[in-house]
Amino acid sequence: MSEILAKSYKNTRYKLDGNGKYSIRQLQIPMENVDEDKQIDFYGNGAIINDFEDKIAEMLGKDKAVFFPSGTMAQQIALRMWCDMKQIYRVAYHPLSHLEIYEQDGLKKLHNIETVLLGEQDRLFTIDDLKKRGTDISTLLIELPQRGIGGQLPNWDELNEILDYCKKNNIRTHLDGARLWEITPYYQKELKEICAGFDSVYVSFYKGIGSVAGAILVGPKEFIDESKIWKRRYGGDLISLYPYVISADYWFDRRINKMETYYNKAKELSKYFNSIDGIYTIPKIPVSNMFHVHFSKDVDNINKILAEIMNKISVGITPYLMETKNTWMFEICIGDSYEEIPKDILEKCFQELDTNINHR
Amino acid sequence: MSEILAKSYKNTRYKLDGNGKYSIRQLQIPMENVDEDKQIDFYGNGAIINDFEDKIAEMLGKDKAVFFPSGTMAQQIALRMWCDMKQIYRVAYHPLSHLEIYEQDGLKKLHNIETVLLGEQDRLFTIDDLKKRGTDISTLLIELPQRGIGGQLPNWDELNEILDYCKKNNIRTHLDGARLWEITPYYQKELKEICAGFDSVYVSFYKGIGSVAGAILVGPKEFIDESKIWKRRYGGDLISLYPYVISADYWFDRRINKMETYYNKAKELSKYFNSIDGIYTIPKIPVSNMFHVHFSKDVDNINKILAEIMNKISVGITPYLMETKNTWMFEICIGDSYEEIPKDILEKCFQELDTNINHR
């Protein structure tokens, strides 16, 4: 079933989602643009990596930064260190946190850290969820935006109420900022304002930024220095990480100022979807560059319809559908690709979708 | 002190050691040679990574292979899995094993695995060391060649006696093959013959091969399949590892057949060093492309002498010296660079060394 979708999607000229095909060009282009005499990093040292770390630390308003091969590694390490500091091996996060559903229980298996799932799978957790749970946790991890529910955000005051509560109760706060760059336009805050309330922050370079891979962890100096020891323990302190650093730095500079555009386009695109009976987005009005598109269960043959439209109009809507309790859904993350679609083709695409779902 | 050496070394035209300057070209060259339409890997899947894994598994004569960002990660995971299988959380290895001295106790901190150090720091461990220790260990890790002592190897019969003993006593054997490619000329064995006695093997691509970074773990199918779960837990299952894979595959093909040359040149170079009073190599006759060069302690100003010669002759001897109990030493790993040195310049270099150490 999903093979039809994947194939149709792949062959389309335009895509709603992303920054163009994941391709070797993500690395070839930055590598072509770097001076061959540039000195490479050696086990985490060297201007090529340290300058980028400093740039991100400064931008996020924290003491220090360290580049990791992955966010999985960076976040587990951050949580372990906060647990060590408080000698409480229990952390709290949303039930759909990356750590809970995508990491094969690394946090539990490698660190024996217990996890507390706050709130429900289909909504953000609230200050009340947190208060109900009590304060016997070392760290609260907050993912902004919460990807598993379409990229939702607490409003600014709610967020700060939660952060204040943690501060008062000696609970450390860690920001899962996998998509942090993407939320400044909604909050209308600088990156450092968003990070200010958190003890540590992880950011990623291959989502909105469109680089190959890689992550950065920022926090207090001693915390980051110790994280480098853990990075070595994990086997993440590679002799050279420059392939990821060069690519991250290159694409960061080229995309960091596009986040407002992506956000506005996401809002625009969500309206197209929501205008069709039997389709709705979560959130209804996006708060970042992303949202989830749901098809009501009673829609027959949605796979077939989507494949046909993609074949006919050559706009890639989605390469897959995932089943939820009451719907079929897929995720949209707006990048550079959306803008390349001519307006008339985009509108034709949604007319076809409406016709095929509701008027056939 | 070592700054003088490092600076003089850096400025030399020729080098005794290595494959030329660690440089961005290690990646630029392979990236220039890869088709931009080549499909990239996605979380460990895709021909670009799986074909290379299959190639190495085949070459090492094992069921299956998985590419890791680092050997640190690959080996800890291998040992953890063997421990889980036997439910004995104790492994044995040489006192100078990479796991013991370079990994910030990752094996202990992440897996609570106890380590048994076999033999002494300045020699290979023997079958007797192993027998004395008893059989209450899950796994024996053997590093071939043993880098910490200049790259020494047990002879073939001793090695097989150890492996047989382990088999009889239900002890798993893991080969730390960080420099495995480099020892086939000495043993006069195929890679698969060397690996045949081991349950699992790790190999590296940035030492003798001269790639950017990266490692492969090979073993039985179920073992490798499970290692991928651990790779995800560690945060080593990056969305894309192709920068390391492309580079590893490229340099592998270009260097794998040079190991005999490197070995012969290492033997030749060791003779030059051993011909000088006050200098000796360990091993005296290299058994791979590597050896350690020791200066007797009573040699005055060895730093100054080395720096002067490097400045004068423009042959890079070493960028550093390390103190041992009775000597100052450095490591040599022969690669492509050695052959580029004109014979007369090389001989002049050693004449100067002899003159400055013994006849001044």
Side-chain angles (χ1 to χ4, degrees), chain A residues 35 86 123 131 159:
Chain A
D35 181 353
K86 205 174 166 180
R123 61 166 176 86
K131 283 179 177 171
L159 174 62

Side-chain angles (χ1 to χ4, degrees), chain B residues 74-353:
Chain B
Q75 295 206 110
Q76 286 178 18
I77 286 172
L79 295 178
R80 167 64 187 260
M81 290 191 299
W82 291 134
C83 284
D84 277 346
M85 238 167 280
K86 205 173 166 183
Q87 289 289 303
I88 292 179
Y89 292 86
R90 196 176 302 111
V91 300
Y93 50 51
H94 190 273
L96 297 183
S97 168
H98 196 275
L99 288 111
E100 195 65 19
I101 63 178
Y102 291 122
E103 301 182 9
Q104 294 280 357
D105 283 339
L107 193 69
K108 298 164 197 176
K109 298 272 184 184
L110 289 168
H111 300 286
N112 210 13
I113 289 174
E114 190 187 328
T115 61
V116 171
L117 307 183
L118 287 182
E120 310 288 335
Q121 285 216 1
D122 58 356
R123 61 167 177 84
L124 292 171
F125 61 76
T126 64
I127 181 77
D128 292 331
D129 293 319
L130 182 60
K131 283 179 176 168
K132 247 186 279 175
R133 187 50 190 75
T135 56
D136 61 336
I137 52 174
S138 72
T139 316
L140 174 66
L141 176 147
I142 305 181
E143 185 183 341
L144 300 178
Q146 191 69 53
R147 181 205 179 183
I149 48 174
Q152 297 183 48
L153 287 174
N155 72 41
W156 187 249
D157 290 342
E158 284 167 352
L159 174 62
N160 282 288
E161 201 184 346
I162 290 171
L163 294 173
D164 286 346
Y165 176 83
C166 289
K167 223 161 254 106
K168 272 181 204 127
N169 290 282
N170 196 25
I171 297 167
R172 298 290 177 181
T173 50
H174 171 79
L175 170 52
D176 178 341
R179 292 159 187 82
L180 174 63
W181 321 115
E182 292 88 328
I183 64 172
T184 51
Y186 172 74
Y187 277 143
Q188 287 292 304
K189 302 282 176 195
E190 298 285 321
L191 287 162
K192 18 179 113 166
E193 291 176 273
I194 300 172
C195 296
F198 290 90
D199 294 303
S200 56
V201 178
Y202 136 73
V203 287
S204 174
F205 298 99
Y206 68 86
K207 290 149 191 130
I209 300 300
S211 177
V212 183
I216 271 185
L217 180 68
V218 298
K221 185 183 174 304
E222 322 77 61
F223 175 88
I224 294 301
D225 287 343
E226 199 192 333
S227 80
K228 292 186 185 182
I229 297 173
W230 281 103
K231 181 180 161 192
R232 171 61 64 101
R233 284 181 185 137
Y234 263 69
D237 188 22
L238 306 194
I239 184 167
S240 285
L241 282 166
Y242 71 81
Y244 295 127
V245 176
I246 287 171
S247 164
D249 202 3
Y250 182 90
W251 294 113
F252 185 81
D253 288 348
R254 276 149 194 84
R255 295 224 171 87
I256 190 64
N257 293 322
K258 292 186 170 180
M259 297 300 156
E260 183 129 25
T261 303
Y262 297 160
Y263 167 54
N264 288 327
K265 297 294 171 185
K267 286 193 289 186
E268 177 185 301
L269 180 59
S270 72
K271 277 187 202 157
Y272 279 107
F273 281 112
N274 286 312
S275 71
I276 297 173
D277 277 352
I279 306 183
Y280 62 94
T281 69
I282 289 184
K284 189 174 177 192
I285 303 168
V287 292
S288 70
N289 72 326
M290 78 169 290
F291 56 89
H292 285 174
V293 179
H294 289 259
F295 297 89
S296 307
K297 271 274 190 180
D298 59 341
V299 176
D300 286 340
N301 298 320
I302 187 66
N303 266 282
K304 209 169 135 255
I305 291 172
L306 288 172
E308 275 173 15
I309 296 172
M310 290 196 283
N311 292 342
K312 185 172 168 186
I313 314 289
S314 214
V315 172
I317 302 169
T318 182
Y320 72 94
L321 284 176
M322 266 173 57
E323 196 168 6
T324 74
K325 216 165 87 185
N326 302 308
T327 64
W328 288 93
M329 63 79 74
F330 67 93
E331 183 176 284
I332 287 275
C333 294
I334 297 290
D336 292 342
S337 299
Y338 179 78
E339 282 185 279
E340 291 166 13
I341 312 172
K343 203 80 175 177
D344 58 328
I345 292 181
L346 186 69
E347 293 188 342
K348 183 89 185 103
C349 174
F350 281 94
Q351 282 159 19
E352 287 280 335
L353 203 52

Side-chain angles (χ1 to χ4, degrees), chain A residues 28 31 70 104 233 235 240 244, chain B residues 31 70 104 233 235 240 244:
Chain A
Q28 272 179 335
M31 288 307 293
S70 72
Q104 294 281 357
R233 285 182 184 135
S240 287
Y244 295 126
Chain B
M31 287 308 293
S70 73
Q104 294 280 357
R233 284 181 185 137
S240 285
Y244 295 127

Side-chain angles (χ1 to χ4, degrees), chain A residues 267-276 338 343 346-347 350:
Chain A
K267 286 193 289 186
E268 177 185 300
L269 180 59
S270 71
K271 276 187 202 157
Y272 279 107
F273 281 111
N274 286 312
S275 71
I276 297 173
Y338 179 78
K343 202 78 177 178
L346 186 69
E347 292 189 342
F350 281 94

Side-chain angles (χ1 to χ4, degrees), chain A residues 95-240:
Chain A
L96 296 183
S97 168
H98 195 274
L99 287 110
E100 195 65 19
I101 61 177
Y102 291 122
E103 301 181 10
Q104 294 281 357
D105 283 339
L107 192 70
K108 297 163 197 175
K109 299 270 183 184
L110 289 167
H111 300 285
N112 209 14
I113 290 174
E114 189 188 328
T115 61
V116 171
L117 306 182
L118 287 182
E120 310 287 334
Q121 285 217 0
D122 59 356
R123 61 166 176 86
L124 293 171
F125 60 75
T126 64
I127 181 76
D128 292 331
D129 293 318
L130 182 60
K131 283 179 177 171
K132 249 187 278 172
R133 187 50 189 75
T135 58
D136 60 337
I137 51 174
S138 72
T139 316
L140 173 66
L141 177 147
I142 305 181
E143 184 183 342
L144 301 178
Q146 192 68 53
R147 181 201 179 186
I149 47 173
Q152 296 184 46
L153 286 174
N155 72 42
W156 186 249
D157 290 341
E158 283 167 353
L159 174 62
N160 283 288
E161 200 185 349
I162 290 171
L163 293 173
D164 287 345
Y165 177 84
C166 288
K167 223 161 254 104
K168 272 181 204 128
N169 289 283
N170 196 25
I171 298 167
R172 297 289 176 184
T173 50
H174 172 80
L175 168 53
D176 178 341
R179 292 160 188 81
L180 174 63
W181 321 115
E182 292 88 328
I183 64 172
T184 51
Y186 172 74
Y187 277 142
Q188 286 292 303
K189 303 282 177 195
E190 297 285 321
L191 287 162
K192 35 178 99 167
E193 292 175 274
I194 300 171
C195 295
F198 290 90
D199 294 302
S200 56
V201 178
Y202 137 74
V203 288
S204 174
F205 298 98
Y206 67 88
K207 290 151 189 125
I209 301 299
S211 177
V212 183
I216 271 185
L217 179 68
V218 298
K221 184 183 174 306
E222 321 77 63
F223 176 88
I224 293 302
D225 287 343
E226 198 192 333
S227 80
K228 291 185 184 181
I229 298 173
W230 281 103
K231 182 179 159 191
R232 170 62 62 101
R233 285 182 184 135
Y234 263 69
D237 189 21
L238 305 194
I239 184 167
S240 287

